[in-house]
């Protein structure tokens, strides 16, 4: 547990922090996104987070092709800016939408394209740093004269140069003999003394001496990076991907040996365990389009260049060769840029998916990052398998195969003492195996806590005094990230999951069936940090973090609190003010349910916690107002004109803010002069119900159930009327039940006992419709999708069968319409429609249905990636959330709406989304039902 957290704003702040830590005997652990895998960014003392404030791109020089950045700059943010000059920073980790340059330097990150771009070390030109005495230094290539001048300095910097030069000069032969083979691009075991051996003055033909290469991969144990000058490279104009499929891992690795001879930009191995995990991930399921059957393994191979025809010929030739060698059974070739991006998104999700495989994904990464020469890969894997067989465990295989790096994760149950002993034994045997191949124990993810105890086995006992000497030269008081690389604790200490870990054991209202219990749901988050991506990286998760940049407002931050509190306090955690505050800005958008690789459903966890909080503290008046609005609506709708007038009076708004917490800057939705049900009861029996098929009789037409939610009924009845008109034009007889609630507001407000009562009333009626083969259609996405999501977990065991039938029969209006229009699309596309999708729909079913329905109805459609609107039901109305709500809208949605063509139509299926747009930019929007009904004219 850290003693404190610092958020420096400048190099001067870091220098002050270092001096304070030195004087007070505290350590400093530098941290950006905190996604390192071997424990590098965990430690006591002070955690120094550079991501919040030191995140500026200081300069990009197009002609000299370099960037000068602060350490908190996110890699994708840099490349978006560099891309304006057709340049990029080459290292491409799986975490590029949140990993920061400082962390990439600390870990010497590489990524998918390391055979082409190598490692961060090859792209670092200069590093500005604060040393352990608070002094500042710039490390860059030095001529012999400049190096001599540095060694004359009467400062810590001068001492470092003198001592490091002397150490390397004395032990150069020993270092080169014991370090990993120089053909291995990814070698991050220990400090990079072997890289210094390649430089002048030790190698007259080598490159200039540059201590920045030693700092790369040093894991923040030697100095604090305050800025860096990075090499940028031109972007290739053309790329092509082929994906050979294999029946065995060995065949895939044998193929890799042949493929690297063809100068690929990337060769990535993914095994069937990860591929199977993508089937259960809502977002990645869509990215499986290129797979042919269920291969044991695939390689994702990319070629880059400037001539598309040449690349196509190269890909086809390789595909043919692999089949002739009887290595690959199928080799799809992909040239579409968007589809290639989807292939890589699936690959990048691999680690997070793997870490989300329940308890089997919690193995510490003790053997996860080994690297050997590419020709050694097939035999190395066979030897590794022998270790697995000996210990009766299995392993996930995925890899940067092009450079001999394998991410191998043996399955270990850390909550059993005998399994921890097995892990320690295996770690030693694997280190011995790596040594026998002259490989690297860490290829890119670093030594940290997990692998540092085994460096000695890989580099040899004679190297350990040298590594400790390096640490002592740079940081004699040991204040920088102690216990990493050198002087590490045994790997079994400080484990997140261990025999002493107590699983949460509390009574819940949801059954948590998919997760196999609340305890497993609480443990799902693996810390991958995808929820920390910025708005400009796309997607929706996590909208509150995108607005505040606060860790506590990320899915990971909240999940960490859930785990810590419930595993410690058990049922008393329902009274936690800390957790309630952390959940305060959760919009329950459900984006984490699909975009998080582990499918953490924070909206559901929030509902469960809030129900427990209410049990202890009661339900506030504001929560009751929004959670049980249906009880007030009938009265308010009796005199709609008066209700609407009174709600807009300043004195009323003051009272609403004071007693219900409704922000005075918001206008509550207006009530319609006549509800939908008033119109329905008066007109439905006499409707002519025109049909597109005159041969279909009134009574013989199929019946469909149209659920009219309270928002449609009381506020926007025209949407319901449009839906009826459209459905009946397609030959359906519409049935409208006389209830409007399914429990969505109650679930969102954590009023689960109320929601369960609604479920108990609704489920038999809905199941009756499903039994009769009647589709159940909803106009408000969050309402109808509640039947397919929460109902399946809120129901009792004896209700599961009925709930599943209802879920199977339920459709959003867009889904049902897309199926209807599939056989009779309209070809004319003379109107452009821009779509902002509903968060729940994007998370649970995606945007394909709304796109297809509108396109088949004759519209030209563009689906925006505008994230969350920021309203999220009642969230944006509440005074404590208004600013964050508007900040979220201002990120992507509002700017998109301000630059529309004059005749453009904006389609927004969500009620609260439409009202956020009205408040934010006052642009008219349409529900899909109204746009589809327009095509009938």
């Amino acid at each position: 547990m850290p003693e404190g957290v610092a958020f420096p704003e400048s190099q001067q702040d870091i220098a002050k922090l270092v001096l304070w830590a030195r004087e007070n005997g505290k350590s400093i652990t530098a941290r950006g996104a905190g996604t390192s895998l071997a424990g590098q960014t965990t430690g006591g003392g002070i955690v120094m987070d550079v991501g919040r404030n030191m995140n500026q791109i200081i300069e990009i020089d197009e002609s000299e092709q370099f960037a000068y950045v602060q350490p908190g700059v996110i890699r994708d943010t840099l490349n978006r800016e560099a891309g304006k000059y057709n340049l990029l920073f080459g290292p491409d980790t799986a975490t590029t939408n949140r990993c920061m340059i400082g962390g990439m330097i600390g870990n010497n990150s590489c990524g998918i394209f390391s055979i082409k771009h190598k490692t961060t070390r090859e792209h670092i030109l200069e590093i500005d740093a604060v040393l352990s005495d608070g002094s500042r230094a710039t490390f860059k290539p030095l001529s012999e004269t400049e190096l001599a001048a540095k060694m004359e300095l009467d400062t810590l910097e001068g001492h470092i140069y003198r001592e490091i030069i002397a150490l390397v000069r004395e032990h150069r032969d020993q270092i080169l003999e014991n370090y990993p083979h120089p053909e291995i691009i990814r070698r991050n075991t220990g400090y990079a003394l072997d890289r210094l051996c390649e430089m002048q003055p030790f190698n007259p033909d080598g490159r200039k001496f540059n201590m920045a290469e030693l700092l790369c991969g040093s894991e923040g144990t030697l100095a604090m990076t305050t800025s860096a000058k990075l090499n940028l490279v031109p972007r290739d104009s053309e790329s092509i991907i082929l994906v050979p499929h294999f029946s065995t891992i060995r065949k895939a690795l044998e193929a890799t040996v042949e493929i690297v001879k063809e100068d690929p930009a990337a060769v990535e191995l993914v095994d069937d365990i990860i591929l199977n995990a993508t089937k259960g991930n809502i977002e990645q399921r869509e990215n499986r389009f290129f797979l042919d059957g269920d291969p044991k393994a695939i390689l994702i191979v990319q070629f880059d260049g400037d001539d598309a025809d040449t690349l196509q010929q190269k890909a086809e030739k390789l595909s043919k060769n692999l089949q002739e060698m009887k290595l690959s059974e199928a080799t799809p070739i992909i040239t579409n840029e968007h589809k290639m991006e989807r292939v890589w998104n699936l690959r990048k999700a691999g680690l997070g998916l793997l870490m989300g495989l329940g308890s089997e994904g919690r193995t510490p990464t003790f053997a996860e990052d080994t690297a050997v020469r590419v020709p050694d890969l097939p035999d190395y894997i066979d030897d590794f398998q022998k270790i697995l067989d000996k210990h009766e465990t299995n392993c996930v295989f995925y890899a940067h195969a092009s450079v001999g790096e394998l991410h191998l994760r043996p399955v270990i149950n850390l909550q059993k003492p005998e399994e921890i002993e097995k892990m320690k034994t295996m770690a030693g045997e694997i280190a011995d195996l790596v040594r026998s191949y002259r490989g690297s124990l860490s290829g890119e993810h670093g030594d940290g806590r997990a692998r540092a105890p085994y460096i000695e086995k890989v580099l040899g006992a004679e190297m350990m005094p040298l590594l400790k000497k390096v640490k002592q030269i740079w940081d004699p008081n040991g204040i920088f990230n102690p216990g990493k690389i050198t002087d590490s604790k045994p790997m079994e200490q400080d484990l997140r999951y261990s025999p002493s870990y107590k699983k949460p054991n509390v009574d819940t209202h949801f059954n948590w069936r998919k997760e196999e219990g609340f305890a497993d749901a609480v443990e799902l988050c693996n810390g991958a940090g995808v929820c920390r991506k910025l708005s400009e990286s796309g997607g929706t998760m996590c909208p509150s973090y995108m607005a505040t940049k606060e860790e506590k407002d990320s899915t990971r931050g909240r999940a960490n609190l859930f785990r810590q509190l419930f595993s410690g306090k058990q049922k008393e955690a329902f009274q936690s003010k800390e957790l309630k505050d952390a959940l305060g800005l959760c919009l329950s958008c459900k984006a984490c349910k699909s975009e998080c690789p582990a499918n953490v459903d924070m909206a559901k966890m929030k509902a469960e916690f809030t129900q427990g909080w209410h049990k202890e503290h009661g339900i506030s008046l504001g929560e009751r107002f929004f959670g049980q609005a249906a009880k007030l609506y009938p009265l308010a709708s009796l005199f709609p004109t008066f209700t609407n007038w009174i709600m807009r009076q300043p004195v009323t708004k003051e009272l609403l803010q004071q007693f219900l917490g409704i922000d005075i800057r918001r206008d509550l939705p207006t009530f319609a002069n006549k509800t939908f049900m008033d119109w329905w009861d008066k007109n439905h029996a006499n409707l002519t119900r025109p049909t597109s098929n005159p041969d279909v009789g009134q009574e013989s037409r199929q019946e469909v159930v149209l659920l009219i939610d309270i928002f449609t009924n009381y506020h926007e009845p025209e949407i319901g009327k449009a839906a009826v008109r459209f459905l009946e034009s397609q030959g359906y007889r519409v049935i409208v039940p006389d209830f409007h609630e399914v429990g969505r507001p109650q679930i969102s407000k954590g009023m689960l006992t109320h929601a369960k009562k609604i479920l108990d009333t609704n489920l038999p009626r809905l199941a009756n419709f499903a039994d009769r083969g009647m589709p159940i259609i909803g106009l408000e996405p969050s309402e109808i999708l509640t039947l397919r999501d929460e109902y399946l977990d809120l129901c009792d065991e004896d209700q599961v069968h009925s709930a599943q039938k209802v879920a199977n029969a339920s459709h959003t209006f867009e889904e049902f319409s897309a199926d209807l229009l599939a056989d009779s699309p309209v070809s004319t596309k003379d109107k452009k429609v821009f779509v902002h999708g509903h968060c729940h729909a994007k998370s649970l079913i995606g945007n394909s249905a709304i796109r297809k329905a509108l396109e088949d109805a004759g519209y030209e459609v563009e689906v925006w990636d505008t994230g969350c609107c920021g309203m999220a039901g009642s969230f944006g109305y509440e005074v404590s959330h208004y600013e964050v709500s508007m900040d979220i809208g201002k990120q992507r949605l509002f700017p998109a709406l301000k630059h529309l063509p004059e005749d453009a139509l904006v389609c927004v299926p969500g009620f609260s989304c439409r009202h956020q747009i009205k408040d934010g930019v006052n642009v008219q929007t349409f529900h899909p039902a109204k746009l589809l009904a327009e095509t009938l004219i």
Side-chain angles (χ1 to χ4, degrees):
M1 183 66 71
E3 297 179 60
V5 181
F7 300 97
E9 297 181 358
S10 64
Q11 186 183 57
Q12 290 78 9
D13 282 354
I14 294 178
K16 290 178 182 177
L17 178 63
V18 170
L19 287 174
W20 179 90
R22 187 181 182 187
E23 292 169 2
N24 290 274
K26 303 297 182 183
S27 63
I28 301 175
T29 299
R31 173 176 169 138
T35 57
S36 293
L37 292 178
Q40 290 95 319
T41 60
T42 59
I46 306 301
V47 170
M48 186 184 78
D49 185 338
V50 297
R52 178 183 291 184
N53 300 315
M54 298 185 68
N55 52 22
Q56 301 301 305
I57 299 173
I58 300 167
E59 178 186 5
I60 293 179
D61 189 307
E62 180 182 8
S63 59
E64 296 296 322
Q65 297 186 359
F66 71 80
Y68 189 41
V69 303
Q70 291 182 319
V73 169
I74 292 173
R75 188 270 193 184
D76 279 358
T77 301
L78 170 60
N79 273 1
R80 274 189 289 272
E81 292 302 311
K84 297 175 182 178
Y85 309 100
N86 199 38
L87 298 171
L88 63 85
F89 179 64
D92 185 33
T93 69
T95 57
T96 53
N97 60 9
R98 69 263 191 204
C99 75
M100 300 173 188
I101 298 300
M104 295 184 75
I105 291 171
N107 266 6
N108 189 33
S109 299
C110 318
I112 289 169
F113 296 96
S114 55
I115 192 172
K116 176 180 180 181
H117 295 300
K118 301 197 167 41
T119 74
T120 297
R121 185 177 285 133
E122 279 79 17
H123 297 271
I124 294 296
L125 303 175
E126 299 178 10
I127 291 178
D128 297 320
V130 171
L131 304 180
S132 62
D133 65 348
S135 62
R136 305 163 202 178
T138 296
F139 298 101
K140 61 183 180 180
L142 301 174
S143 67
E144 291 191 25
T145 302
E146 291 169 327
L147 177 59
K150 289 286 187 183
M151 294 174 67
E152 291 295 323
L153 294 174
D154 187 21
T155 61
L156 177 56
E157 181 186 6
H159 170 76
I160 289 170
Y161 275 103
R162 288 190 294 274
E163 293 297 315
I164 291 294
I165 291 292
L167 184 148
V168 174
R169 179 173 284 124
E170 181 180 355
H171 300 283
R172 180 174 182 267
D173 292 343
Q174 203 176 5
I175 292 168
L176 292 177
E177 181 181 346
N178 284 276
Y179 264 66
H181 197 288
E183 288 182 14
I184 300 172
I185 292 173
R186 294 162 168 262
R187 49 188 203 275
N188 276 356
T189 302
Y191 293 118
L193 295 175
D194 58 332
R195 298 284 296 192
L196 300 186
C197 292
E198 300 169 358
M199 301 175 185
Q200 303 172 11
F202 313 111
N203 179 359
D205 298 323
R207 56 194 178 278
K208 290 182 178 180
F209 189 84
N210 185 359
M211 204 78 82
E213 292 196 31
L214 181 69
L215 291 179
C216 283
S218 65
E219 302 181 5
T221 63
L222 304 182
M224 297 288 101
T225 298
T226 59
S227 58
K229 184 178 180 181
L230 314 176
N231 174 56
L232 302 178
V233 297
R235 292 176 180 266
D236 289 293
S237 59
E238 301 290 341
S239 297
I240 194 169
I241 284 177
L242 65 157
V243 189
H245 294 36
F246 302 93
S247 58
T248 67
I249 297 288
R250 183 176 178 94
K251 282 187 176 182
L253 297 179
E254 288 174 352
T256 299
V257 176
E258 299 302 318
I259 293 170
V260 296
K261 299 174 184 177
E262 304 298 326
D263 192 28
V267 185
E268 296 290 298
L269 172 73
V270 184
D271 80 349
D272 59 333
I273 296 179
I274 291 179
L275 293 177
N276 288 334
T278 64
K279 296 177 181 178
N281 181 273
I282 297 168
E283 183 176 38
Q284 295 306 322
R285 191 184 302 145
E286 300 296 318
N287 293 332
R288 291 174 50 88
F289 68 94
F290 61 91
L291 294 174
D292 184 358
D294 290 303
K296 177 66 178 176
I298 62 170
L299 291 175
I300 304 174
V301 183
Q302 179 166 316
F303 291 107
D304 294 340
D306 296 318
D307 186 275
D309 291 338
T310 301
L311 295 181
Q312 182 73 33
Q313 293 169 14
K314 181 181 285 191
E316 290 175 354
K317 178 183 176 183
L318 178 58
S319 174
K320 181 180 178 182
N321 289 345
L322 292 178
Q323 292 185 42
E324 288 178 349
M325 296 170 69
K326 297 184 178 180
L327 291 173
S328 175
E329 292 86 9
T331 311
I333 295 174
I334 301 156
T335 57
N336 177 273
E337 183 177 356
H338 176 64
K339 288 184 176 180
M340 288 192 289
E341 182 181 0
R342 288 171 61 192
V343 173
W344 284 125
N345 285 342
L346 181 136
R347 162 62 186 90
K348 288 185 174 185
L351 175 61
L353 291 171
L354 173 62
M355 294 174 72
L357 293 177
S359 59
E360 291 189 354
R362 299 183 193 130
T363 302
T365 54
F366 68 96
E368 186 267 349
D369 199 28
T370 61
V372 297
R373 295 186 307 154
V374 174
D376 292 332
L377 275 175
D379 291 339
Y380 174 74
I381 280 292
D382 286 347
D383 289 339
F384 196 97
Q385 186 64 51
K386 291 175 184 176
I387 295 176
L388 296 175
D389 294 341
K390 173 184 174 183
H391 292 281
E392 299 180 336
T393 187
N394 55 22
C395 186
V396 174
F397 296 84
Y398 71 109
H400 304 293
S402 62
V403 287
E405 163 125 3
L406 296 174
H407 296 314
L408 308 170
R409 297 172 66 91
V411 174
I412 299 289
N413 186 342
L414 292 175
Q415 295 181 28
K416 296 181 179 180
E418 64 272 20
E419 290 279 291
I420 290 182
E421 289 303 312
K422 179 195 291 186
M423 176 180 71
K424 291 167 59 180
T425 302
M426 289 183 65
E429 293 175 357
I430 291 166
D432 289 336
L433 177 65
V434 171
R435 169 79 173 188
S436 71
Y437 279 91
R438 203 183 168 191
S440 179
L441 188 61
S442 170
E444 65 171 331
H445 292 161
D447 298 316
R449 283 286 311 277
R451 290 186 278 274
Y454 300 93
I455 295 175
E456 182 173 342
K457 277 183 169 288
V458 175
L459 297 186
E462 59 270 41
M463 288 294 102
M464 296 311 296
L466 303 188
L467 299 183
K468 292 181 179 181
K469 179 66 173 177
V470 171
K471 172 68 173 173
Q472 196 274 332
I473 290 169
W474 285 78
D475 182 22
N477 295 316
I479 64 172
F480 289 157
N481 207 12
K484 316 306 188 311
I485 302 180
T486 63
D487 301 315
S488 62
K489 299 178 185 178
M491 63 149 53
E492 70 271 20
Q493 289 190 19
D494 304 323
L495 294 175
R496 173 180 290 189
Y497 298 105
S498 68
S500 63
Y501 174 79
K502 293 182 179 179
K503 295 179 75 70
N505 183 18
V506 299
D507 293 330
T508 60
H509 286 72
F510 285 117
N511 288 285
W512 301 94
R513 291 186 172 96
K514 181 181 178 182
E515 297 85 354
E516 299 182 353
F518 179 68
D520 284 341
V522 165
E523 297 166 8
L524 268 180
C525 175
N526 53 59
V530 181
C531 47
R532 283 181 55 107
K533 67 181 185 295
L534 301 181
S535 177
E536 53 263 36
S537 291
T540 302
M541 180 182 70
C542 174
S544 50
Y545 175 79
M546 290 177 178
T548 69
K549 312 299 190 300
E550 292 277 3
E551 174 79 15
K552 72 177 180 63
D553 297 325
S554 69
T555 304
R556 180 176 73 177
R558 296 171 183 131
N560 276 335
L561 271 177
F562 262 102
R563 187 191 67 257
Q564 292 173 14
L565 287 167
F566 276 96
S567 64
K569 296 184 177 181
Q570 301 293 324
K571 66 180 181 179
E572 292 181 9
F574 283 117
Q575 302 180 44
S576 169
K577 181 69 163 54
E578 296 94 335
L579 185 50
K580 186 176 188 299
D581 290 344
L583 291 168
L585 293 185
C586 173
L587 286 81
S588 297
C589 68
K590 283 193 176 286
C592 48
K593 188 176 173 70
S594 62
E595 293 182 29
C596 169
N599 298 145
V600 172
D601 190 344
M602 188 52 62
K604 189 173 163 187
M605 294 172 69
K606 177 184 179 180
E608 189 73 75
F609 169 80
T610 308
Q611 169 64 47
W613 175 272
H614 288 158
K615 184 178 179 181
E616 299 293 330
H617 300 278
I619 304 173
S620 70
L621 193 59
E623 288 170 320
R624 289 189 185 276
F625 175 79
F626 284 113
Q628 298 181 319
K631 293 183 177 180
L632 303 173
Y633 271 33
L635 178 63
S637 68
L638 290 176
F639 307 100
T641 302
F642 175 74
T643 299
N644 294 334
W645 178 80
I646 197 79
M647 286 296 180
R648 275 157 177 69
Q649 300 310 302
V651 65
T652 306
K653 287 192 167 190
E654 289 283 359
L655 292 171
L656 289 173
Q657 179 165 301
Q658 182 176 350
F659 291 102
L660 301 181
I662 300 173
D663 196 280
I664 199 169
R665 290 164 286 187
R666 291 286 191 188
D667 290 329
L668 288 172
T670 57
F671 285 86
N673 289 329
K674 181 182 290 188
T675 68
F676 173 87
M677 292 307 296
D678 288 340
W679 170 83
W680 178 259
D681 291 340
K682 182 178 180 180
N683 295 287
H684 78 281
N686 302 316
L687 289 176
T688 57
R689 298 190 182 92
T691 174
S692 59
N693 185 354
D695 296 329
V696 176
Q698 173 73 18
E699 298 304 321
S700 63
R701 290 181 300 171
Q702 182 179 349
E703 294 178 326
V704 296
V705 178
L706 182 64
L707 291 185
I708 299 295
D709 55 89
I710 61 171
F711 313 110
T712 301
N713 185 49
Y714 291 101
H715 297 302
E716 298 180 324
E718 295 303 319
I719 291 174
K721 296 176 188 179
V724 170
R725 188 153 59 95
F726 177 77
L727 291 170
E728 295 196 332
S729 75
Q730 300 300 309
Y732 287 90
R733 183 166 181 263
V734 178
I735 305 297
V736 177
D738 60 359
F739 61 88
H740 308 300
E741 287 190 288
V742 298
R744 178 74 260 159
Q746 290 83 355
I747 292 170
S748 295
K749 288 299 177 185
M751 299 163 63
L752 297 184
T753 55
H754 296 78
K756 181 59 166 62
K757 291 177 181 178
I758 294 172
L759 180 152
D760 290 341
T761 301
N762 289 350
L763 193 57
R765 301 179 65 182
L766 292 168
N768 182 50
F769 293 134
D771 285 337
R772 292 160 56 188
M774 299 170 64
I776 303 169
I777 304 167
L779 295 169
E780 178 62 25
S782 62
E783 296 275 325
I784 189 66
L785 290 173
T786 299
L787 306 185
R788 286 158 61 170
D789 188 9
E790 288 91 352
Y791 265 39
L792 293 172
D793 219 27
L794 193 57
C795 66
D796 297 329
E797 286 302 316
D798 60 353
Q799 296 174 311
V800 171
H801 181 65
S802 294
Q804 191 62 65
K805 284 193 299 184
V806 170
N808 293 340
S810 300
H811 312 267
T812 65
F813 178 80
E814 299 80 51
E815 287 179 301
F816 193 76
S817 300
D819 290 339
L820 277 182
L821 296 171
D823 297 328
S824 56
V826 179
S827 60
T828 304
K829 295 185 178 180
D830 56 352
K831 288 188 177 180
K832 183 72 175 282
V833 175
F834 296 92
V835 176
H836 169 72
H838 189 284
C839 285
H840 285 206
K842 286 185 286 190
S843 175
L844 299 174
I845 61 174
N847 283 323
S848 58
I850 191 169
R851 177 194 293 275
K852 186 174 184 303
L854 292 171
E855 286 180 342
D856 286 349
Y859 294 102
E860 182 183 350
V861 181
E862 180 178 330
V863 178
W864 279 333
D865 180 12
T866 38
C868 178
C869 73
M871 184 66 89
S874 65
F875 178 90
Y877 286 100
E878 296 166 17
V879 66
S880 58
H881 300 154
Y882 177 82
E883 297 293 345
V884 170
S885 169
M886 297 306 287
D887 285 345
I888 293 170
K890 291 173 183 176
Q891 288 174 346
R892 282 178 286 162
L893 178 58
F894 294 172
L897 289 161
K898 289 177 180 178
H899 299 91
L900 289 172
E902 287 186 11
D903 59 345
L905 300 171
V906 181
C907 179
V908 182
F911 175 79
S912 59
C913 304
R914 293 193 293 275
H915 285 262
Q916 174 78 326
I917 289 171
K918 178 180 177 297
D919 287 355
V921 289
N922 197 28
V923 169
Q924 184 179 15
T925 58
F926 300 90
H927 188 280
K930 297 192 77 170
L931 293 178
L932 295 184
E934 286 293 320
T935 65
L936 304 176
I937 299 174

